[in-house]
Amino acid sequence: MTAGNNGADTPENDDPFAHLYRSEGGEGGAGSGAGAARQPGVPRTSYNQVRTVGQRQYGNQQGPQAYGRQNAHYAAPETLPGGDRPRQAPAPEPRKGRNGLLIGAVAVVAVVCIGIGAAMLTNGNDTPKDNAGDKPGPTAADTVRPSEKPTQDKPTPGKLPKDDAGALRLDGGAVTAKDIPGARSASRSYITSLNKPGASATWTLDVEAAGQYKFWVGFGVPGKDANLTLSVNGQALTRPISLSNFAHAPEGAWDKGWTNSWSYVQLNKGTNTLKLSCEAGNQCDVNLDQVWLARP
């Protein structure tokens, strides 16, 4: 034993990986017996024989095994009986199209519009209405448009008077006759001889309400036009009542010229008088058979 090592192993003989091969409770390696001690002065041998790279055997495998070569006993799990196959990633859900978004937006807008309409209807129904008696009349600053036609009272419903010519009062030479057929009075009589100045027939009648009425006259002409002056309650109208040949009878045919005509009259409530007379400027060659009132 020299002074350099004092009987200890030289560094080149020391195995730095000995602890990897040491068994429990001893220093021996895989190549030594259990618990066998290394003799001093004897160089330590490797626990394993040095082999060429790739010639080491593992387990019962025979022959050299090249690095990078797969284990012959390895098999993919899906090839083994009963083995689990690798799980596949779930397919992604189809992406919603733009049509779905558009339909949703339209639905939201429709709901909002319905809500606004309902609110407007509710507010309109809740607005109190003014009573007719509570409405104020026009003030001095307001402009009131005048009516285009004068307001006239209309007669109330009811039976209106109708008379034959024989019920009228005759003046100025007017008389009744029955010579010409076709008169429509109950007695087939008519008023004639009205073609003299001052001749007249006056009808006295009663009405239940004041207002405007139509005054109808049944007459006959000998195939030519005629007219008479009409007076209401003693006031002559500016225009005569037209008694034209509406029947289109030939001239001289009195029996073919029976027809009707009318004129507006304004009457008072109660008794009124309507007078047909031959005045200057009238064409008085006419016969009268009936008179009556009608509503406008």
Side-chain angles (χ1 to χ4, degrees):
M1 187 168 42
T2 62
N5 54 25
N6 294 324
D9 292 337
T10 61
E12 60 271 15
N13 294 329
D14 189 13
D15 187 358
F17 300 101
H19 66 280
L20 297 178
Y21 308 106
R22 187 181 300 121
S23 61
E24 248 179 49
E27 293 181 354
S32 304
R38 183 177 55 87
Q39 295 180 2
V42 178
R44 175 178 294 180
T45 60
S46 174
Y47 290 96
N48 293 292
Q49 297 294 329
V50 178
R51 294 179 176 82
T52 306
V53 173
Q55 291 183 351
R56 186 163 184 131
Q57 295 181 357
Y58 296 90
N60 296 327
Q61 186 175 357
Q62 301 293 328
Q65 181 171 345
Y67 286 92
R69 186 178 299 174
Q70 294 182 351
N71 192 346
H73 297 285
Y74 172 79
E78 58 270 19
T79 62
L80 299 177
D84 293 336
R85 294 180 180 273
R87 295 182 181 181
Q88 297 181 355
E93 295 183 358
R95 183 179 181 181
K96 294 183 179 179
R98 296 182 178 179
N99 293 338
L101 297 177
L102 180 59
I103 293 174
V106 171
V108 172
V109 173
V111 171
V112 173
C113 292
I114 292 174
I116 295 174
M120 294 177 65
L121 290 176
T122 304
N123 294 335
N125 294 334
D126 294 340
T127 303
K129 297 182 179 180
D130 295 335
N131 294 327
D134 297 334
K135 292 182 179 180
T139 63
D142 296 333
T143 301
V144 179
R145 181 180 179 182
S147 175
E148 297 180 357
K149 295 182 179 180
T151 304
Q152 296 177 346
D153 297 332
K154 291 185 178 181
T156 57
K159 187 177 180 179
L160 296 177
K162 181 178 183 179
D163 283 319
D164 292 339
L168 277 62
R169 189 186 75 191
L170 303 180
D171 296 297
V175 295
T176 60
K178 293 183 181 181
D179 301 339
I180 301 174
R184 292 155 295 182
S185 60
S187 61
R188 300 299 184 223
S189 63
Y190 53 90
I191 299 172
T192 189
S193 301
L194 288 170
N195 56 351
K196 300 175 183 179
S200 64
T202 302
W203 182 34
T204 301
L205 67 155
D206 292 333
V207 293
E208 297 178 351
Q212 190 179 67
Y213 294 84
K214 280 185 177 181
F215 172 49
W216 282 89
V217 178
F219 67 95
V221 291
K224 61 182 180 180
D225 296 339
N227 59 68
L228 292 172
T229 297
L230 174 59
S231 299
V232 179
N233 296 323
Q235 182 67 40
L237 302 183
T238 57
R239 292 182 59 184
I241 183 170
S242 176
L243 305 173
S244 299
N245 183 24
F246 299 128
H248 304 287
E251 188 174 353
W254 287 89
D255 60 331
K256 304 297 183 181
W258 294 106
T259 184
N260 304 316
S261 183
W262 61 271
S263 180
Y264 280 120
V265 292
Q266 184 72 28
L267 301 181
N268 302 322
K269 181 180 180 181
T271 302
N272 296 268
T273 60
L274 297 174
K275 179 182 177 181
L276 294 170
S277 61
C278 183
E279 306 294 343
N282 293 136
Q283 299 174 355
C284 307
D285 205 1
V286 62
N287 295 328
L288 307 179
D289 63 350
Q290 286 183 318
V291 290
W292 69 93
L293 284 185
R295 293 181 177 84

